[in-house]
Structure formats: structure tokens, C-alpha cells
């Protein structure tokens, strides 16, 4: 095998003219010891041609057969020599294209000017909004619930014992105008005390009046450092990841619900996360995701959709939470036509109630919707 490797490395591609010459060449190779470093250098620098892969491969085979060096070392030496030979070559300059009739176009050429629409408030509405005294049930309010994450270790999950007296109310009375909802929405006043509440940035009815669309962000992406303070924030904000995962629920008596399997759940509650209660009519619907986040992660062949350490920032589609509340048919026409807005203020409101459950950190395909 050693003799065959030496012959393969140094013999020419043409067949020997006679067997006597071949025998003589073998005798020479047996008696003369060849340095594989020299063979590698010769192959790499031969005619300064780095594309001569045949010579480099022959040198590698020879070095491996003679036992002077392993294959990886021979490949590294050949690669370094080839790079040096390429760098030593003179670089050819690209010919410059002559365009004698070319002239630079003025700045902003072929760019349409931006049209700015001036805000013209309707007469009297600004004063009405400034002096409007909202009823308590129409003020934007966040109900904070204390969270004990140690209960998640109990299987099956225990029944909820939280009452209305345990909730902490945080009101935002600055929101008093439908036209100024975007600038008055308390995005920067989100309370970290209850991370099960979605960090909503925008809300609006769809064009057909069938849904109320919510646009929220993943608050768990804001602090991913390694200090003790940020580690505590990551631990506290873990429920934010649960909002991206659907839960099937089963309707019970007295307006109560329980977690269930997909097979036992009701058709409209098989893949939901929020309970939507419209006021003052009292209609109740269940939220729908704009798309299935777990299915997307499964199609992306992700090992898991969220990581328990909270630093799962590699997936873009889990940074924004999109969900919508179906509007009851009795209210759709009023919302679609805009009749539900009187004097720049709504007459129909919706409560968004999150279904609180432990985040799932397994494979995204283990609990897909049937």
C-alpha cells in the first residue's frame, strides 16, 4: 500500500513505455527518501497555478502514504502555499468605461415630493375631548393579578382562587379621544407587575367590521442581559411567551371555563388565548391568532419556539403578537359604518381577559391544532 501511494503521487499520467523503465522507477523510489514537505511545496508553487489540484492531491496522497504527516497537516500546508501564490500574482485593473455624454442628475431627480396632510380638527371636538368626563366603566383600565409561578410545578394545575378583590386597578384617563388613540395609548406605562397582560401598541376594527385587531409586542425581548437585575426581569416576564401559545378550553356552567384537550374543546375555543367581552351588550367571543405561531416554528424546524432562559431572540416572528377578537354579528354593522363613534368617543367597548397558563417549552409540533 505504501509503494502504491508513492507511485500514485509521482508517476505521470501517461503509461510507461516499457516495463523496464517502470521497474527502474520503483527501485529509485525505494532507495531514495522523498520529503513530503518538498512535494507539497512543489505542487502548490508549480507554475504559480493554484488551480493545479492534481499536483496538490498527489502530494497529499504521498504525504499520507509515507507517514511523514497526517492528511490534515498536508492539506493546511498546501492551502497556505496556494494562498501565498495567489497573493503574489499581479492584480489586473478593470478597464474604465468612458461615458462622455453622462451628466449627474440633480439631487432628488425622479422622486415625487412627499405630501403632508395637515390635521384640521373638527370645530368643537378638541374642546369636547379636553373637558370630557368619562364614566368609570369607560376609562382604560388594567387589572393586575399577582402571579405565583411555583403553582406551575403542581400537576395537574390547581383551580384558580383569585377573586376580584385581589386585583389591582391601574387606570389611564388620558385616553379620551378616538382620533388620538395612537398618541394617547399608554405604551410606555405598561406595568411589569402582571406579565400576562399583553403589551398592546395598537388596536382598531377591521375594514369589514368583523374583528377588533390588536397589535402587541413581546415584552420579554426588552431585557436579555446577564446582571442579577435583568435575570430577575427575565424570570418575571416568562408569562409573556405563553401569550403566543394557543390553549383549548371548555365552556362550563355559570360563565366559567376550564382547560381541556383539543378533542374536548368547543369549536370556537379550540385555539384561543383571550376572552373578549363586549360592553354594554355583554356578548362574549374568543380571540383568534392571525397565524399559528407554533405551526410557523414547526415549519422553520426550530427545536423549540421559546427558550426557558428567555434569550430566544433569533426568531423574528415571535417578537410581535397579533391577535383579534371576533365582533358579534349584532354589532358588526354599527362598528363598520362608524355609527358607534359619537363626538369622537366610542359607545362600544371590549374587555380582553387573558387565559393564564404555564408556557410550553417543548417542541413546537407536540401540541398543534388538529
Amino acid at each position: 500500500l505504501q509503494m502504491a501511494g508513492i507511485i500514485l503521487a509521482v508517476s505521470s499520467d501517461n503509461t510507461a513505455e516499457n516495463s523496464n523503465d517502470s521497474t527502474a522507477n520503483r527501485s529509485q523510489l525505494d532507495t531514495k527518501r522523498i520529503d513530503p514537505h518538498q512535494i507539497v511545496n512543489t505542487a502548490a508553487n508549480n507554475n504559480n497555478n493554484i488551480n493545479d489540484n492534481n499536483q496538490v492531491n498527489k502530494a497529499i496522497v504521498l504525504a499520507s502514504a509515507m507517514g511523514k504527516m497526517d492528511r490534515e497537516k498536508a492539506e493546511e500546508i498546501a492551502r497556505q502555499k496556494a494562498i501565498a501564490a495567489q497573493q503574489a500574482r499581479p492584480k489586473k485593473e478593470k478597464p474604465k468605461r468612458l461615458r462622455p455624454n453622462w451628466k449627474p442628475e440633480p439631487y432628488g431627480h425622479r422622486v415625487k415630493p412627499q405630501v403632508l396632510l395637515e390635521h384640521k380638527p373638527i370645530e368643537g371636538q378638541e374642546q369636547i375631548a379636553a373637558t370630557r368626563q368619562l364614566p368609570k366603566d369607560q376609562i382604560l383600565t388594567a387589572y393586575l393579578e399577582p402571579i405565583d409561578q411555583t403553582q406551575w410545578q403542581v400537576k395537574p394545575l390547581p383551580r384558580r382562587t383569585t377573586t376580584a378583590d385581589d386585583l389591582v386597578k391601574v387606570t389611564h384617563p388620558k385616553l379620551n379621544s378616538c382620533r388620538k388613540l395612537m398618541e394617547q395609548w399608554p405604551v410606555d406605562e405598561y406595568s411589569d407587575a402582571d406579565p400576562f397582560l399583553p403589551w398592546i401598541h395598537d388596536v382598531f376594527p377591521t375594514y369589514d367590521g368583523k374583528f377588533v385587531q390588536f397589535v402587541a409586542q413581546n415584552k420579554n425581548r426588552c431585557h436579555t442581559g446577564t446582571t442579577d437585575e435583568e435575570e430577575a426581569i427575565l424570570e418575571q416576564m416568562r408569562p409573556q411567551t405563553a401569550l403566543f401559545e394557543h390553549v383549548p378550553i371548555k365552556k362550563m356552567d355559570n360563565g366559567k371555563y376550564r382547560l381541556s384537550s383539543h378533542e374536548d374543546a368547543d369549536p370556537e375555543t379550540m385555539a384561543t388565548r383571550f376572552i373578549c367581552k363586549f360592553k354594554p351588550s355583554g356578548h362574549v367571543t374568543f380571540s383568534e391568532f392571525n397565524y399559528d405561531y407554533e405551526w410557523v416554528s414547526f415549519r422553520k424546524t426550530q427545536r423549540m419556539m421559546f427558550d426557558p432562559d428567555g434569550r430566544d431572540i433569533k426568531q423574528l416572528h415571535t417578537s410581535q403578537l397579533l391577535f383579534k377578537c371576533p365582533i358579534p354579528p349584532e354589532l358588526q354593522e354599527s362598528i363598520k359604518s362608524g355609527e358607534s363613534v359619537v363626538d369622537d368617543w366610542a359607545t362600544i367597548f371590549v374587555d380582553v381577559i387573558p387565559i393564564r397558563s404555564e408556557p410550553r417549552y417543548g417542541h413546537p409540533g407536540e401540541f398543534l391544532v388538529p
Side-chain angles (χ1 to χ4, degrees), residues 102-128:
W102 179 83
K103 292 182 181 181
E105 295 178 346
Y107 180 77
H109 183 66
R110 297 180 183 177
V111 178
K112 294 182 179 181
Q114 185 177 9
V115 179
L116 300 179
L117 300 178
E118 296 183 2
H119 171 62
K120 295 182 179 180
I122 302 176
E123 184 178 356
Q125 282 195 354
E126 294 285 350
Q127 185 177 1
I128 293 175

